Amino acid sequence: MARILIVDDEEPIRQLLGQILERSGYECSLAENAPEARELLKQHNFELILSDINMPGESGLDFVRYTLAEYPNTAAVIVTALDDPLTAEVVLEIGVYDYIIKPFGRNGVMISVANALHRRQLEIDNRVYRESLEKKVADRTSELRDSMQRLRKALEGSIHAMALTVETRDPYTAGHQQRVADLAFAIGKELRLSDDRVQGISMAGVIHDLGKISIPAEILSKPGKITKIEFDLIKTHPRVGYDILKSIEFPWPIAQIVLQHHERIDGSGYPSGLRGEEILLEARILGVADVVEAMASHRPYRPALGIDKALEEISEKKGTLYDPDVVDVTLRLFNEKGFKHE
Ligand SMILES: [Fe+2]
């Protein structure tokens, strides 16, 4: 049965309330002032307090306010001779369940106490339910976040595995795709594209030459000049890469970016001769990063030309072959921001 704390400075009232409630099976403790009541609260759990308002020393209102704040599972009912609408308003505001006016009748007290205890139980159940619901939602959210992260990791792993597949056949360009991806990533960041978009550019960069898988290794690693037929064959690699990737539902337009990475803004690129903004910004970025990396690095048919030559090339062809903004940002990265080509 519920345990009730009765706080009243008048002994006969304390005793009467105690008798009424104990006869109904409640367990009661009596206190004649707030400090005594606080002590009892420390020693036992009370489901309910019945408190007077006007008492010598600390007022009942302050005591009730304190109790409700410190013991959220304890309910409160005021028992007072003070029949005043303003006080009643304050009492309701601080969360008291009922306001019994003295002199009270036995039945009135009984009903009020039963109602208060019932309402208290409902509110506790409600709170427990809400808290368990919130915890469930939080748990599920973090599970989802974890599995998203695992999927992202698996996706990146698959993309890197594809990149390695092409590169094992063509050792001269080993690492080329990753370096292009790193530079393209930096350009995207410098252009203040969203993190997600920049991530897409990087992923496309890592596999942009995937289509070279269909070109004989002898052509890829052939020293010296290549024939027109050989070059025509090499030019198929963006479309081959696109065909391999197009059915994968990446969160970014990876296949399109790969398809367009040799398009040039004056329409002189391949495979479709797209112009200007017909070419995805991601592909315009990748195009510049690809040229800079390729020129700066060693190739089977020529030694490395160096980063200065590469930057000279993109400056000269800025606005004809290459997107002017992308070129400006790339130059800034190398000349002012100390970007280093690995
Ligand atoms: Fe390429």
Side-chain angles (χ1 to χ4, degrees):
M1 208 48 174
R3 190 186 267 272
I4 300 172
L5 174 59
I6 297 162
V7 193
D8 201 304
D9 57 321
E10 285 174 76
E11 184 170 10
I13 306 251
R14 279 202 306 277
Q15 298 293 351
L16 177 59
L17 283 171
Q19 268 169 26
I20 294 175
L21 294 174
E22 278 184 347
R23 218 172 285 158
S24 308
Y26 297 112
E27 207 176 312
C28 296
S29 298
L30 310 181
E32 71 173 301
N33 53 40
E36 205 178 294
R38 282 174 194 251
E39 272 311 306
L40 288 167
L41 277 171
K42 280 184 203 154
Q43 291 161 22
H44 311 281
N45 286 323
F46 290 98
E47 276 86 355
L48 179 67
I49 54 170
L50 290 186
S51 178
D52 189 10
I53 292 183
N54 286 326
M55 296 184 286
E58 182 177 351
S59 110
L61 280 182
D62 288 343
F63 167 68
V64 166
R65 201 181 273 122
Y66 157 85
T67 306
L68 294 180
E70 290 295 308
Y71 304 90
N73 285 342
T74 301
V77 166
I78 290 287
V79 184
T80 180
L82 199 67
D83 188 2
D84 166 38
L86 270 179
T87 313
E89 217 169 278
V90 173
V91 158
L92 280 175
E93 239 173 59
I94 62 177
V96 166
Y97 285 175
D98 205 356
Y99 186 73
I100 301 174
I101 307 293
K102 295 174 192 170
F104 46 79
R106 180 191 152 86
N107 291 341
V109 171
M110 293 303 307
I111 289 172
S112 174
V113 163
N115 279 340
L117 287 170
H118 182 63
R119 183 172 153 193
R120 167 190 170 272
Q121 194 54 53
L122 286 179
E123 286 185 4
I124 290 175
D125 292 349
N126 205 334
R127 193 168 65 224
V128 168
Y129 175 70
R130 201 183 56 233
E131 280 167 4
S132 85
L133 214 62
E134 281 167 1
K135 190 175 175 314
K136 249 181 226 160
V137 170
D139 287 352
R140 292 289 294 145
T141 308
S142 100
E143 272 170 33
L144 270 175
R145 202 175 292 132
D146 286 354
S147 79
M148 278 270 291
Q149 245 158 19
R150 278 200 301 277
L151 277 175
R152 265 287 160 107
K153 279 231 149 49
L155 178 62
E156 283 173 26
S158 313
I159 290 176
H160 278 98
M162 283 193 241
L164 283 178
T165 313
V166 213
E167 292 183 7
T168 40
R169 297 183 63 247
D170 178 17
Y172 284 98
T173 55
H176 162 73
Q177 297 186 104
Q178 186 61 57
R179 290 191 297 270
V180 170
D182 293 345
L183 177 54
F185 180 90
I187 296 171
K189 277 260 175 228
E190 193 66 16
L191 281 168
R192 298 183 188 286
L193 303 184
S194 72
D195 285 355
D196 182 61
R197 214 169 157 193
V198 174
Q199 171 108 23
I201 297 174
S202 170
M203 288 294 111
V206 169
I207 42 170
H208 72 275
D209 279 339
L210 181 61
K212 287 190 176 169
I213 196 96
S214 73
I215 299 167
E218 310 82 70
I219 298 180
L220 294 177
S221 52
K222 184 181 170 186
K225 252 196 155 340
I226 47 167
T227 66
K228 173 159 188 318
I229 296 172
E230 286 165 341
F231 187 54
D232 284 345
L233 200 56
I234 287 175
K235 276 167 49 175
T236 62
H237 80 273
R239 175 140 338 253
V240 173
Y242 171 79
D243 285 338
I244 296 172
L245 297 168
K246 69 184 176 198
S247 58
I248 306 178
E249 280 190 37
F250 288 111
W252 314 279
I254 300 270
Q256 284 291 339
I257 303 172
V258 167
L259 178 64
Q260 298 178 4
H261 80 275
H262 283 286
E263 299 289 355
R264 297 295 176 249
I265 62 167
D266 63 356
S268 66
Y270 60 87
S272 307
L274 300 178
R275 290 166 177 276
E277 302 208 340
E278 289 170 353
I279 310 165
L280 286 174
L281 175 59
E282 287 89 335
R284 281 177 267 152
I285 293 173
L286 204 57
V288 170
D290 189 18
V291 165
V292 169
E293 204 293 318
M295 288 186 72
S297 305
H298 177 75
R299 279 290 177 274
Y301 44 90
R302 56 149 175 79
L305 299 169
I307 188 64
D308 293 341
K309 268 264 172 277
L311 297 182
E312 211 179 287
E313 156 74 14
I314 59 166
S315 310
E316 270 173 23
K317 314 274 171 57
K318 166 175 146 181
T320 51
L321 296 189
Y322 309 115
D323 182 298
D325 294 338
V326 176
V327 170
D328 287 343
V329 157
T330 310
L331 295 176
R332 194 157 74 218
L333 275 175
F334 281 98
N335 296 333
E336 292 167 35
K337 305 239 162 161
F339 187 87
K340 282 270 177 300
H341 217 67
E342 300 280 312

